[in-house]
Amino acid sequence: MQSSNPEHEPFSVSFLGTGTSHGIPVISCGCVVCASTDPRDRRWRSSLLIRSGSTAIAIDCGPDFREQMLREKVDRLDAVVLTHEHRDHLAGIDDLRVFNYHSQGDFPLYCTHAVEEQVRQGWRYAFKPSPYPGIPQLGFVPIENERFTIGELHILPIPVLHYRLPVLGFRIGPFAYITDVSHIPDSSFQLLEGVDTIVLGALRKTPHLAHFSLTQAMEAARKTRARQAYFIHMSHDMGLHRKVEAELPPGMNLSYDGLTLHFGR
Ligand SMILES: [Zn+2]
Ligand SMILES: [Zn+2]
Ligand SMILES: [Zn+2]
């Protein structure tokens, strides 16, 4: 069965950002969350760094990508895997240029054909037949629903819906990461069978058309029977990290920027 865990090397995941598209603090907002001095209430746009042996990849590269790479001291990146085409997950593409200097070739973006199309439209200058010097050199590696491998990492796409937009979550052995999501089909719950740690988008406590609320994300986490759930892609409407954490049951936590988790063999 496709959801069975293949042999995998030990790996770590670091939350580069855990905020929704506005980030926290929100520009010009003076709410208690945006004014908080707790570092866990500062959330860059959601993205994940995964490291295994000599392999390092990011899931998404949003508008905070440059600062995220600097904070995590990433000096080499093998690929970016994209969940979907919204700008809060793509806007850092221009900053992938630095990795071109190291790799001498196109930087690989793993994504669906639909996302590739949007990147080609959004960064047209990067795909002209005679490119301007200094532009990002990008190469696309098409992914759909089949498992793929980058270095030591075996990655299984988990299709979900973000209102009507198809989005890919990703599973690596005991770990799964699903960002913008409002519906997980049963076939995808099957792919999550046996997962130990699940990351799920949870925008805020009140409902939203395109994102799970905290309650919906908790329900989905329970359905997977994961030992541990972390929530991401939060807006300032979620409330103070410290307060919401105190309300959550054991095995469920809000993630925060900079949190790193380790997974053994
Ligand atoms: Zn998003
Ligand atoms: Zn605010
Ligand atoms: Zn989105």
Side-chain angles (χ1 to χ4, degrees):
M1 182 175 172
Q2 211 182 21
S3 64
S4 65
N5 294 349
E7 278 290 304
H8 63 86
E9 298 297 319
F11 64 96
S12 69
V13 303
S14 298
F15 292 85
L16 298 172
T18 56
T20 189
S21 55
H22 288 103
I24 305 176
V26 177
I27 294 170
S28 85
C29 183
C31 82
V32 63
V33 176
C34 290
S36 167
T37 54
D38 183 343
R40 296 170 306 174
D41 286 318
R42 300 187 74 84
R43 300 187 190 278
W44 280 337
R45 268 56 72 92
S46 289
S47 174
L48 189 77
L49 177 69
I50 308 176
R51 287 167 157 145
S52 177
S54 59
T55 304
I57 68 166
I59 298 183
D60 292 330
C61 62
D64 302 310
F65 183 73
R66 174 178 168 276
E67 291 193 82
Q68 291 166 331
M69 292 295 100
L70 291 171
R71 186 188 65 201
E72 293 295 325
K73 298 184 170 48
V74 177
D75 51 16
R76 247 203 58 237
L77 197 66
D78 296 292
V80 168
V81 181
L82 297 172
T83 58
H84 67 303
E85 60 262 49
H86 287 159
R87 285 285 165 146
D88 55 321
H89 299 260
L90 283 187
I93 277 180
D94 211 53
D95 289 319
L96 293 172
R97 279 175 299 160
V98 292
F99 298 114
N100 283 143
Y101 307 149
H102 302 308
S103 70
Q104 310 289 331
D106 288 351
F107 184 89
L109 291 177
Y110 286 70
C111 62
T112 62
H113 286 296
V115 174
E116 174 180 343
E117 196 54 39
Q118 296 283 328
V119 174
R120 285 184 183 279
Q121 281 177 30
W123 280 265
R124 280 165 69 177
Y125 62 86
F127 300 102
K128 289 204 165 147
S130 52
Y132 191 84
I135 57 157
Q137 291 168 248
L138 306 169
F140 292 97
V141 183
I143 54 172
E144 293 299 335
N145 296 345
E146 297 301 312
R147 194 187 304 277
F148 59 98
T149 298
I150 306 175
E152 283 95 344
L153 296 166
H154 306 292
I155 306 171
L156 177 68
I158 311 286
V160 300
L161 282 177
H162 175 28
Y163 186 43
R164 290 179 183 156
L165 183 71
V167 169
L168 290 180
F170 298 102
R171 177 175 182 173
I172 300 170
F175 172 79
Y177 179 87
I178 297 174
T179 175
D180 301 27
V181 56
S182 56
H183 176 71
I184 303 178
D186 284 341
S187 52
S188 291
F189 273 113
Q190 284 173 21
L191 300 176
L192 293 168
E193 225 169 72
V195 77
D196 174 82
T197 301
I198 183 139
V199 176
L200 285 165
L203 186 71
R204 60 190 191 194
K205 290 179 175 171
T206 50
H208 186 281
L209 198 61
H211 294 276
F212 276 164
S213 65
L214 181 58
T215 307
Q216 290 171 318
M218 289 167 71
E219 277 168 18
R222 279 196 197 98
K223 203 166 160 184
T224 67
R225 300 200 196 138
R227 179 189 57 82
Q228 174 69 50
Y230 288 100
F231 303 119
I232 59 162
H233 210 282
M234 284 163 270
S235 93
H236 59 167
D237 293 325
M238 180 66 91
L240 290 168
H241 183 98
R242 175 177 51 81
K243 282 198 173 170
V244 181
E245 274 281 284
E247 297 162 6
L248 292 174
M252 293 195 186
N253 294 89
L254 302 188
S255 186
Y256 55 88
D257 293 21
L259 172 65
T260 295
L261 309 172
H262 296 272
F263 296 89
R265 193 178 278 278

